């Protein structure tokens, strides 16, 4: 059976829909259990403390260090510029087809937009989608879906402020229903712009597609300037994420799941300084893990590893939400989406996790190894 005829950028819409169903279910749990601990809190309540620890451990050592990279929402200024550049190229061609700029991509004119173009892997191997059998193509689609989910990362973060919302039942679902559609449209728009600005062969082989787009269109000098501007755009969000990562480590240490020194906040005792309330040890711990991943991995491999690590616990959380519907039907739920919402996420993410683990066995084995180490530390702490 031949694989579905879809463009790679269409994974933005599928990933966005999956994120939407997950966010709605998270809103249900966040409204039922207001707090700042997130997924680990739900898993601990539903399955027991060991699952809560494994979720916290996985976030600390596998998800958070890699998620300190920039995401879709952090590049909104670059997204706007990229989309405008793509529209400019379209208008240019509409105004004068006989004078194309050789620096620009012609793929949008010569290729069918709804067909599946061949993809060039990092090792130079060309993936011909038409010739793949179903199981192999599903594995590649699962990896692509991890990438889309990585880009949408943040849909689960609204639950961390659920305890502070005065009208939680109204505000939390409203925030999700507003933010996720905007993210989906932005994702699709910027990927269409990339397809206009660059040949597909270049898009499929670069990990810095925004910078490559501007270099291809405007030249290497302006491309370097664009890279510098993107770094400035990302600097602020990365700083915020580093402190968020530190707080997750502090919360795990306060639960006696990690070493006590990681729960220490500030480096100067009894003195009012700028570092008195900063989780310095926890931030250094997260930074060290990030450096390890950067030294021993590549971007796509790390994105798959991070996606697999997070999706497993998102899958367990959605299964838990369904279990609670049966086990505790009288549990107060200020927000309660239709049961098909968590079921859809469970089915898609469960299959994606199973096939993704088979498709990326190295990442799966590393994750299992980290779990075994974590369980050893957990037993020692107890």
């Amino acid at each position: 059976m031949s694989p579905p005829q879809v463009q790679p950028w269409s994974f933005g819409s599928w990933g966005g829909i999956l994120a939407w169903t997950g966010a709605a279910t998270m809103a249900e749990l966040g409204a039922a259990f207001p707090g700042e601990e997130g997924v680990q809190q739900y898993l601990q309540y539903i399955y027991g403390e060991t699952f809560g620890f494994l979720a916290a451990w996985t976030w600390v050592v596998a998800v958070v260090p890699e998620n300190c990279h920039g995401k879709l929402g952090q590049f909104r200024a670059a997204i706007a510029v990229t989309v405008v550049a793509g529209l400019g190229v379209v208008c240019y061609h509409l105004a004068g087809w006989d004078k194309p700029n050789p620096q620009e991509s012609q793929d949008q004119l010569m290729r069918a937009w709804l067909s599946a173009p061949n993809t060039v892997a990092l090792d130079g191997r060309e993936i011909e989608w038409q010739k793949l059998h179903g199981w192999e193509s599903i594995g590649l689609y699962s990896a692509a879906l991890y990438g889309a989910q990585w880009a949408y990362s943040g849909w689960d973060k609204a639950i961390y402020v659920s305890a502070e919302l005065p009208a939680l039942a109204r505000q939390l679902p409203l925030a999700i229903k507003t933010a996720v559609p905007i993210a989906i449209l932005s994702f699709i728009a910027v990927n269409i712009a990339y397809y206009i600005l660059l040949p597909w062969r270049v898009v499929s082989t670069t990990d810095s597609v925004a910078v490559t787009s501007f270099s291809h269109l405007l030249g290497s000098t302006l491309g370097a300037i664009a890279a510098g501007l993107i770094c400035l755009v990302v600097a602020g969000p990365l700083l915020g994420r580093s402190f968020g990562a530190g707080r997750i480590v502090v919360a795990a240490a306060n639960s006696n799941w990690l070493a006590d020194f990681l729960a220490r906040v500030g480096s100067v005792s009894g003195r009012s300084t700028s570092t008195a309330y900063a989780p310095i040890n926890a931030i250094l711990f997260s930074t060290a893990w990030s450096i390890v991943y950067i030294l021993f991995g590549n971007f796509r491999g790390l994105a798959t590893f991070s996606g697999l690590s997070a999706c497993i616990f998102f899958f367990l959380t959605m299964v838990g939400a369904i279990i609670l519907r049966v086990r505790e039907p009288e549990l107060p739920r200020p927000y309660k989406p239709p049961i098909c919402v968590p079921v859809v996420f469970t089915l898609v993410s469960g299959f994606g996790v199973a096939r993704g683990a088979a498709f990326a066995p190295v990442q799966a084995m590393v994750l299992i190894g980290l779990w075994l180490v974590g369980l050893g530390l957990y037993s020692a702490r107890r």
Side-chain angles (χ1 to χ4, degrees):
M1 182 178 64
S2 62
Q5 295 299 296
V6 291
Q7 272 290 352
W9 49 261
S10 70
F11 280 105
S13 58
W14 293 113
I17 292 172
L18 187 62
W20 202 337
T21 59
T25 307
M26 286 292 190
E28 174 188 346
L29 293 172
F33 304 97
E36 301 177 349
E37 298 179 20
V39 170
Q40 61 204 51
Q41 171 184 254
Y42 311 142
L43 293 178
Q44 183 173 352
Y45 180 84
I46 298 167
Y47 303 109
E49 184 177 348
T50 302
F51 279 86
F53 163 78
L54 281 177
W57 172 254
T58 304
W59 247 251
V60 167
V61 302
V63 178
V64 170
E66 298 173 46
N67 281 344
C68 284
H69 301 292
K71 296 293 195 304
L72 176 69
Q74 298 167 0
F75 284 104
R76 49 189 176 269
I79 286 174
V81 174
T82 304
V83 172
V84 170
L87 290 175
V89 170
V90 171
C91 293
Y92 173 81
H93 284 296
L94 290 176
W97 296 100
D98 56 335
K99 296 180 180 180
N101 188 335
Q103 293 273 3
E104 298 168 4
S105 166
Q106 302 295 306
D107 279 12
Q108 76 276 13
L109 303 178
M110 298 181 293
R111 292 181 180 268
W113 277 74
L114 297 180
S115 66
N118 293 344
T119 303
V120 180
L122 291 179
D123 58 4
R125 177 175 60 94
E126 188 170 16
I127 301 173
E128 299 183 51
W129 294 90
Q130 300 295 329
K131 297 182 180 180
L132 295 178
H133 58 78
W135 183 245
E136 185 178 3
S137 64
I138 289 174
L140 292 169
Y141 286 168
S142 298
L145 194 60
Y146 288 152
Q149 285 293 93
W150 185 87
Y152 283 108
S153 178
W155 55 265
D156 60 305
K157 298 302 186 291
I159 58 176
Y160 291 99
V161 297
S162 57
E164 303 177 18
L165 297 177
L168 185 147
R170 180 180 62 86
Q171 293 174 319
L172 189 57
L174 179 62
I176 291 171
K177 292 176 181 178
T178 303
V180 175
I182 293 174
I184 293 174
L185 293 176
S186 299
F187 190 103
I188 294 174
V190 74
N191 278 274
I192 291 176
Y194 291 149
Y195 190 60
I196 292 173
L197 295 172
L198 289 175
W200 170 241
R201 186 178 183 88
V202 176
V203 174
S204 65
T205 55
T206 179
D207 287 332
S208 304
V209 65
V211 176
T212 306
S213 297
F214 287 106
S215 298
H216 190 83
L217 181 65
L218 304 174
S220 58
T221 301
L222 291 178
I225 294 175
L229 292 175
I230 290 175
C231 289
L232 291 176
V233 170
V234 175
L238 284 183
L239 181 61
R241 280 186 173 273
S242 66
F243 279 93
R247 291 297 177 182
I248 293 176
V249 175
V250 169
N254 284 331
S255 297
N256 201 33
W257 291 342
L258 296 177
D260 295 336
F261 78 94
L262 294 174
R264 189 178 305 155
V265 177
S267 60
V268 181
S269 177
R271 297 173 59 184
S272 177
T273 68
S274 59
T275 61
Y277 303 101
I280 295 176
N281 293 340
I283 291 174
L284 292 176
F285 178 80
S286 297
T287 302
W289 273 108
S290 299
I291 293 172
V292 170
Y293 285 125
I294 291 172
L295 292 177
F296 293 98
N298 59 70
F299 175 82
R300 299 189 189 193
L302 292 177
T304 300
F305 177 65
S306 177
L308 179 63
S309 304
C311 283
I312 288 174
F313 288 96
F314 287 144
F315 166 75
L316 291 174
T317 302
M318 301 304 148
V319 172
I322 298 173
I323 291 174
L324 285 181
R325 291 280 187 104
V326 178
R327 191 175 77 188
E328 301 182 32
E330 303 303 321
L331 179 71
R333 294 176 173 85
Y335 175 70
K336 186 178 179 181
I339 188 63
C340 63
V341 172
V343 168
V344 167
F345 190 99
T346 299
L347 293 176
V348 177
S349 63
F351 185 79
V353 165
R355 184 61 186 99
F359 178 75
V362 174
Q363 287 91 333
M365 293 303 297
V366 171
L367 181 58
I368 292 173
L370 288 176
W371 286 344
L372 293 176
V373 172
L375 288 174
L377 294 175
Y378 175 68
S379 299
R381 296 294 297 176
R382 287 177 67 89

